[in-house]
Amino acid sequence: QVQLVESGGGVVQPGRSLRLSCAASGFTFSSSGMHWVRQAPGKGLEWVALIKYDGSNKYYADSVKGRFTISRDNSKNTLYLQMNSLRAADTAVYYCARDQGTRITGTIHNYMDVWGKGTTVTVSS
Amino acid sequence: DIQMTQSPSSLSASVGDRVTITCRASQSISSYLNWYQQKPGKAPNVLIYAASSLQTGVPSRFSGSGSGTDFTLTISSLQPEDFATYYCQQSYSTPPTFGQGTKVEIK
């Protein structure tokens, strides 16, 4: 079945780095754009980054630009998020999600249709 | 960035009630609006995309409407499994942005 499984979370000190992974299965990963979305404890959803299906274009939230890097290895069906210079404000559950594009009356509408269960990142000294 | 504002932030309702949640965009987003449901400790799940299209497998008691800046998610007859937090999200432009969420609680 279609599945996304995140890994790599943990407790890290401020200023340190962490790399998250998201393993995809059950669909053609190399045809799908992919997102990272995070949720701080008790807070709402915050979009973090998007990478196009072939890795040609990457987009970031202002809050992580210059510190986080999204990447993918289509040969391994895996999405990554390299997080550097971590701050306490980056503490959150990090979800990967598939970007689905559906054509309706001539235009493509995008939404996140498959989500992983999330991996928890805690930035604390 | 486009700001998304949901109202109310929370509501209490009974099983069988009709529930309406509103989402307003800071500029026109046509029909590029999605709705998600999230239960505690779980990942979000898409309910409605493109403002009014029901995602496969989602019960028909969920419906969405609106275009431009004002959108509505309606649950026609609230069921016990519908107690959750609901988020709208615009896909008109990058960055995609979410509303702050509406928590639907048991009355």
Side-chain angles (χ1 to χ4, degrees), chain A residues 1-5 22-27 34 77 96 114-117:
Chain A
Q1 73 278 24
V2 176
Q3 192 173 11
L4 297 171
V5 179
C22 169
S25 59
F27 66 99
M34 296 295 297
N77 289 343
C96 59
V114 180
W115 296 66
K117 295 185 187 302

Side-chain angles (χ1 to χ4, degrees), chain A residues 17-58:
Chain A
S17 299
L18 206 59
R19 189 177 83 155
L20 305 183
S21 299
C22 169
S25 59
F27 66 99
T28 306
F29 180 73
S30 59
S31 298
S32 296
M34 296 295 297
H35 300 267
W36 286 101
V37 177
R38 68 184 181 183
Q39 187 168 36
K43 303 297 185 182
L45 301 170
E46 180 189 15
W47 175 79
V48 173
L50 164 67
I51 186 168
K52 294 295 188 178
Y53 69 99
D54 58 357
S56 59
N57 292 92
K58 305 174 185 181

Side-chain angles (χ1 to χ4, degrees), chain A residues 35 37 39 43-47 50 59 62 95 102 104 107-113 115-117, chain B residues 1 31-32 34 36 38 42-46 49-50 53 55 87 89 91 94-96 98-100:
Chain A
H35 300 267
V37 177
Q39 187 168 36
K43 303 297 185 182
L45 301 170
E46 180 189 15
W47 175 79
L50 164 67
Y59 308 87
D62 286 344
Y95 298 102
T102 297
I104 300 175
T107 59
I108 295 177
H109 291 258
N110 294 87
Y111 55 100
M112 303 172 201
D113 72 329
W115 296 66
K117 295 185 187 302
Chain B
D1 299 359
S31 60
Y32 292 87
N34 307 314
Y36 300 84
Q38 186 181 33
K42 301 294 187 182
N45 182 45
V46 64
Y49 61 93
S53 295
Q55 173 70 345
Y87 295 91
Q89 175 246 324
S91 58
T94 303
F98 292 89
Q100 82 279 15

Side-chain angles (χ1 to χ4, degrees), chain B residues 38-105:
Chain B
Q38 186 181 33
K39 297 180 180 179
K42 301 294 187 182
N45 182 45
V46 64
L47 300 173
I48 301 285
Y49 61 93
S52 61
S53 295
L54 192 68
Q55 173 70 345
T56 303
V58 173
S60 58
R61 62 181 179 273
F62 291 93
S63 64
S65 65
S67 67
T69 60
D70 294 314
F71 301 87
T72 299
L73 174 70
T74 299
I75 309 172
S76 60
S77 177
L78 197 66
Q79 298 301 300
E81 60 268 31
D82 300 337
F83 293 95
T85 300
Y86 295 83
Y87 295 91
C88 62
Q89 175 246 324
Q90 65 81 17
S91 58
Y92 179 81
S93 65
T94 303
T97 44
F98 292 89
Q100 82 279 15
T102 295
K103 187 173 184 179
V104 176
E105 298 175 301

Side-chain angles (χ1 to χ4, degrees), chain A residues 32-93:
Chain A
S32 296
M34 296 295 297
H35 300 267
W36 286 101
V37 177
R38 68 184 181 183
Q39 187 168 36
K43 303 297 185 182
L45 301 170
E46 180 189 15
W47 175 79
V48 173
L50 164 67
I51 186 168
K52 294 295 188 178
Y53 69 99
D54 58 357
S56 59
N57 292 92
K58 305 174 185 181
Y59 308 87
Y60 299 93
D62 286 344
S63 58
V64 307
K65 200 173 294 182
R67 300 187 300 122
F68 289 12
T69 301
I70 189 172
S71 63
R72 64 191 300 157
D73 186 337
N74 286 346
S75 69
K76 295 183 178 179
N77 289 343
T78 303
L79 173 73
Y80 302 101
L81 185 67
Q82 177 67 43
M83 303 185 296
N84 298 333
S85 302
L86 282 162
R87 307 166 179 168
D90 297 318
T91 294
V93 175

